């Protein structure tokens, strides 16, 4: 058993939207989709030098050496899934939500722990289907120009202090499809 190491890192959580319902309706088919999901995400995470910490059912927990690499991987994943869903129909489609955060973790026995891990998981939970949500701290460290809308301060499950969270768009075209008010209304629904 190794000694715990405290360090700062860039966190990524994703999960398949509606997975519980999908697997209840057709377990075999959903497990095939999960296998395809895992291949796509692993490819894009590895391409941006990310490390998958673990799979949690349909969720993937990963870390990156920079928030820019985490964002680039997230955008590549969402673009690939959007394209994939133009080819497939109905029950063969799936989408994911992604949450990104930057913070301090405790590394122990190949896993990461700490409040910032929990924050990232909760940020992923509020991301809209097919989108990327990013914490204010991660966005502030992001280099370059990106398209975002602020959700505002959001009360996250079991997190005592509301957190400032943003929606990160894959490109200008997607950004222009949404008004800020529409994003907030979707979050409330």
């Amino acid at each position: 058993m190794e000694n715990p190491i405290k360090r700062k890192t860039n966190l990524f959580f994703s999960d398949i939207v509606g997975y519980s319902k999908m697997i209840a309706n057709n377990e075999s088919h959903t497990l095939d989709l999960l296998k395809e999901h895992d291949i796509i995400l692993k490819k894009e995470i590895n391409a941006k030098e990310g490390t998958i910490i673990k799979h949690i059912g349909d969720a993937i927990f990963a870390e990156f050496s920079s928030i820019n690499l985490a964002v680039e991987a997230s955008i590549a994943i969402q673009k690939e899934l959007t394209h994939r869903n133009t080819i497939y129909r109905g029950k063969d489609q799936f989408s994911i939500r992604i949450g990104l955060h930057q913070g301090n973790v405790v590394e122990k026995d190949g896993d990461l722990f700490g409040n910032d891990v929990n924050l990232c998981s909760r940020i992923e939970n509020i991301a809209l289907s097919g989108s990327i949500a990013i914490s204010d701290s991660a966005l502030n460290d992001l280099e370059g120009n990106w398209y975002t809308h602020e959700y505002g301060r959001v009360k996250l499950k079991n997190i005592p202090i509301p957190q400032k969270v943003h929606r990160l768009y894959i490109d200008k075209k997607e950004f222009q499809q949404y008004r800020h008010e529409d994003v907030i209304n979707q979050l409330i629904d």
Side-chain angles (χ1 to χ4, degrees):
M1 194 146 149
E2 63 187 61
N3 290 328
I5 300 168
K6 292 183 179 184
R7 60 186 173 84
K8 186 174 182 178
T9 192
N10 303 283
L11 303 166
F12 168 108
F13 268 93
S14 71
D15 82 342
I16 297 175
V17 177
Y19 180 79
S20 295
K21 184 177 180 182
M22 291 166 60
I23 201 145
N25 289 337
N26 189 335
E27 185 176 86
S28 176
H29 182 68
T30 302
L31 290 174
D32 288 341
L33 292 176
L34 179 61
K35 192 180 305 179
E36 184 179 354
H37 160 273
D38 289 351
I39 290 168
I40 292 168
L41 270 69
K42 182 179 179 181
K43 177 185 77 165
E44 298 300 347
I45 289 168
N46 288 341
K48 298 299 178 187
E49 302 170 21
T51 302
I52 295 176
I53 304 302
K54 62 183 166 184
H55 294 254
I56 310 160
D58 62 309
I60 290 183
F61 173 31
E63 74 169 324
F64 291 82
S65 61
S66 80
I67 196 61
N68 276 71
L69 290 172
V71 165
E72 291 169 13
S74 299
I75 288 173
I77 289 165
Q78 293 295 26
K79 282 183 174 181
E80 184 162 346
L81 291 177
T82 297
H83 173 72
R84 181 202 173 280
N85 286 338
T86 64
I87 298 167
Y88 293 95
R89 298 285 175 246
K91 69 181 178 92
D92 294 324
Q93 294 179 330
F94 66 89
S95 62
I96 68 167
R97 57 175 67 91
I98 296 173
L100 302 175
H101 180 56
Q102 179 182 73
N104 297 310
V105 298
V106 175
E107 181 179 358
K108 183 177 176 188
D109 299 327
D111 203 348
L112 301 180
F113 303 91
N115 186 56
D116 286 309
V117 173
N118 293 338
L119 272 173
C120 189
S121 172
R122 299 309 184 193
I123 289 167
E124 176 267 312
N125 280 331
I126 66 155
L128 302 171
S129 177
S131 77
I132 303 163
I134 185 169
S135 69
D136 196 54
S137 61
L139 184 63
N140 288 335
D141 205 41
L142 193 57
E143 297 174 358
N145 296 316
W146 304 91
Y147 297 98
T148 65
H149 275 133
E150 183 181 313
Y151 287 147
R153 293 202 173 274
V154 179
K155 175 70 174 113
L156 304 171
K157 182 178 177 185
N158 295 326
I159 305 295
I161 299 170
Q163 302 293 309
K164 193 184 278 188
V165 180
H166 306 262
R167 178 172 178 174
L168 177 72
Y169 294 90
I170 62 172
D171 57 25
K172 184 177 182 178
K173 180 181 175 186
E174 184 189 40
F175 174 77
Q176 290 175 333
Q177 290 176 348
Y178 294 92
R179 296 179 313 135
H180 180 68
E181 296 78 21
D182 296 335
V183 172
I184 299 303
N185 287 337
Q186 286 180 326
L187 187 62
I188 292 170
D189 290 344

